[in-house]
Amino acid sequence: MNRQYHTQMEAARMGIITPEMKIVAKDEGRTEEYIRDLVAKGQVAIPANPAHKGLKPSGIGSMLKTKINVNLGVSRDCKDYDIEMEKVMSAVDLGAEAIMDLSSHGNTQPFRQLLCSKCPAMIGTVPIYDSVIHYQRDLAELTAQDFIDVVRLHAEDGVDFVTLHCGITRKTISQIRDGGRKMNIVSRGGSLVFAWMAMTGHENPFYEYYDEILDICREHDVTVSLGDACRPGCLADATDGCQIEELLRLGELTQRAWDKDVQVMVEGPGHVPMDQIAANMKVQQTICKGAPFYVLGPLVTDIAPGYDHITAAIGGAIAAASGAAFLCYVTPAEHLALPNVDDVRQGIIASKIAAHAADIAKGLPGARDQDDRMADARRKLDWDAQFLEALDPETAKAIRDSRAPEDDHSDTCSMCGKFCAVRSMNKALAGEYIDIL
């Protein structure tokens, strides 16, 4: 690596402002020194593997704009990589800052390498998913070294961050078997680690060999995303002892990574009632010393299959306003099926709305500028300007065009027509006659 430092954190601690920090500072409207200082403290992560060519770096931290991640990847039942690439390009066009390849079938490496060569968004993976596929051996036949080698493979391929379920140990097996949870473990990676420990009798390899994994991540500047294997999968399990004990361990692992200049994000719940979300964010910030929090949702109710992009957007807005830095999108297909292209689009828009609403609530510089421009455009009944400011201009324009108003009040919409309050006020303030019939 032809540079003075291995990782963004090491550079920041050396007083070096990297090219990636400069890009993040410009995007966030912050000074370069402000970004460098937060990266040095671990409160902002810039996942940026040097092997990921064409990356558009983003900063992840609670004091920056809320970022969103899009999960993609093939499964045994849905294995068309061309469709997955279509989802990737749609996600990038809609403004997703990160793509996680969660493929669990077939030859995964060519797709992963394609992402790292063509996609400008940050790329994340979950190496334990790929381990069974890569070696074509069942879970119990894999060794700790096999898992470590797959982490290295993903780092060499260029991924910017890896989710590692380091926080569960053999003690967790007893906790789960003793009962008390309705949904046990719902994390796919967490369940695989649990199953491997249960079948082999060995300790979690991602915990036992954590230092060796950190050395790999340091060498390739791969950010560790500490997976929450014990995240609640239903409201009844939210903020229970199993979840909190794992979080305590993740706090310890965060510090161990920082000691090696490895950047860290911490993953969080999950299914959480609205009244517990803010507390979850504050507990994480305290235990993990301000490391960026990366949350799935949270989903605020368990009974909305088909609409979980909405339940997640509600929770995500509260979470981000309360300190979460990174929202993993949820689609209408959550709990039901692999999302299709339209599901991905709906999930991204819902998550973007949540992130933007939270940024306004946090009072970030410039967060409300687009909303203010939209208000101006609405006051003027300037429809083209409204579409320009819309998060999803294509859908907004299609709805208006499909139900256009009549010609004598074409400046309004078909909801109010000549009863339009904006039209009436504009005419009244201009001293014009206001025709209603």
Side-chain angles (χ1 to χ4, degrees):
M1 192 179 295
N2 296 319
R3 58 188 194 183
Q4 298 172 260
Y5 52 88
H6 287 87
T7 70
Q8 295 290 323
M9 175 173 269
E10 182 182 21
R13 289 173 168 176
M14 293 169 65
I16 297 172
I17 294 173
T18 66
E20 292 79 10
M21 293 177 203
K22 292 179 180 180
I23 292 170
V24 170
K26 184 177 180 180
D27 287 348
E28 299 288 341
R30 306 284 188 157
T31 67
E32 294 172 0
E33 176 58 28
Y34 178 80
I35 298 299
R36 186 206 62 78
D37 181 60
L38 292 174
V39 173
K41 294 174 180 174
Q43 294 175 4
V44 163
I46 305 177
N49 186 331
H52 182 176
K53 306 304 180 185
L55 170 68
K56 169 71 169 60
S58 291
I60 301 172
S62 63
M63 60 295 298
L64 306 182
K65 296 172 190 172
T66 307
K67 309 304 188 297
I68 71 163
N69 171 71
V70 170
N71 288 343
L72 298 165
V74 300
S75 69
R76 185 171 181 174
D77 297 303
C78 302
K79 43 184 176 279
D80 190 326
Y81 276 112
D82 290 337
I83 291 177
E84 293 312 298
M85 206 61 203
E86 184 181 347
K87 295 177 190 176
V88 169
M89 301 319 296
S90 175
V92 171
D93 289 344
L94 286 169
E97 287 86 9
I99 304 290
M100 286 201 78
D101 176 19
L102 307 186
S103 294
S104 59
H105 179 82
N107 187 0
T108 58
Q109 189 173 29
F111 182 64
R112 184 169 59 251
Q113 291 176 334
L114 181 64
L115 287 175
C116 293
S117 64
K118 301 291 186 183
C119 182
M122 298 176 286
I123 302 300
T125 58
V126 188
I128 193 169
Y129 294 178
D130 196 36
S131 298
V132 173
I133 307 304
H134 178 74
Y135 292 108
Q136 286 296 297
R137 299 204 306 272
D138 227 341
L139 189 63
E141 298 173 22
L142 298 176
T143 67
Q145 190 61 51
D146 290 334
F147 294 124
I148 295 168
D149 288 344
V150 170
V151 173
R152 181 180 291 105
L153 176 66
H154 285 212
E156 291 171 348
D157 284 342
V159 305
D160 303 295
F161 63 100
V162 288
T163 291
L164 303 174
H165 298 84
C166 309
I168 59 171
T169 64
R170 290 196 56 78
K171 181 181 177 183
T172 310
I173 296 178
S174 300
Q175 286 181 319
I176 295 297
R177 282 180 172 163
D178 288 345
R181 274 199 156 194
K182 282 186 178 292
M183 289 292 295
N184 297 316
I185 287 178
V186 299
S187 159
R188 185 163 65 175
S191 70
L192 292 174
V193 172
F194 185 99
W196 186 86
M197 289 192 293
M199 289 188 291
T200 65
H202 298 314
E203 183 56 274
N204 176 358
F206 298 102
Y207 178 74
E208 187 172 5
Y209 299 99
Y210 186 59
D211 285 329
E212 185 175 340
I213 292 169
L214 289 177
D215 289 339
I216 295 169
C217 293
R218 174 183 167 80
E219 179 184 355
H220 297 276
D221 198 2
V222 173
T223 298
V224 171
S225 188
L226 290 170
D228 55 334
C230 295
R231 71 171 181 263
C234 62
L235 299 187
D237 294 341
T239 326
D240 68 353
C242 194
Q243 176 194 334
I244 298 301
E245 181 171 330
E246 181 185 28
L247 183 60
L248 288 169
R249 196 169 292 113
L250 296 185
E252 298 168 4
L253 295 171
T254 295
Q255 186 60 57
R256 285 172 60 185
W258 286 349
D259 290 344
K260 288 179 175 279
D261 296 324
V262 174
Q263 299 185 106
V264 174
M265 300 184 291
V266 178
E267 299 186 14
H271 292 238
V272 182
M274 286 173 59
D275 61 307
Q276 296 181 26
I277 293 174
N280 269 262
M281 302 306 110
K282 298 305 179 188
V283 167
Q284 185 276 341
Q285 287 179 317
T286 300
I287 292 173
C288 299
K289 303 175 184 176
F293 207 17
Y294 172 23
V295 296
L296 179 66
L299 282 76
V300 296
T301 180
D302 298 335
I303 62 167
Y307 300 92
D308 275 330
H309 58 310
I310 297 174
T311 64
I314 294 168
I318 298 170
S322 303
F326 198 19
L327 302 181
C328 187
Y329 90 148
V330 172
T331 77
E334 185 77 9
H335 301 111
L336 301 171
L338 189 79
N340 60 25
V341 174
D342 185 60
D343 292 330
V344 167
R345 184 180 184 85
Q346 290 191 56
I348 292 171
I349 292 297
S351 191
K352 292 286 285 186
I353 292 169
H356 182 67
D359 291 347
I360 294 170
K362 290 194 293 186
L364 294 184
R368 210 188 67 192
D369 289 355
Q370 188 172 349
D371 299 78
D372 290 345
R373 293 194 299 269
M374 176 65 87
D376 288 337
R378 283 178 171 156
R379 185 187 71 248
K380 298 172 185 175
L381 292 172
D382 184 340
W383 293 97
D384 288 337
Q386 290 180 54
F387 298 143
L388 187 65
E389 300 302 338
L391 275 176
D392 184 0
E394 181 181 323
T395 296
K397 189 174 189 307
I399 291 173
R400 174 169 167 75
D401 290 349
S402 70
R403 282 156 268 173
E406 295 179 359
D407 289 344
D408 69 339
H409 53 275
S410 61
D411 56 337
T412 69
C413 77
S414 58
M415 169 69 181
C416 297
K418 289 187 176 182
F419 281 82
C420 173
V422 177
R423 175 181 182 270
S424 296
M425 287 302 300
N426 287 347
K427 286 180 173 293
L429 292 172
E432 299 175 9
Y433 179 77
I434 304 162
D435 58 316
I436 297 296
L437 295 177

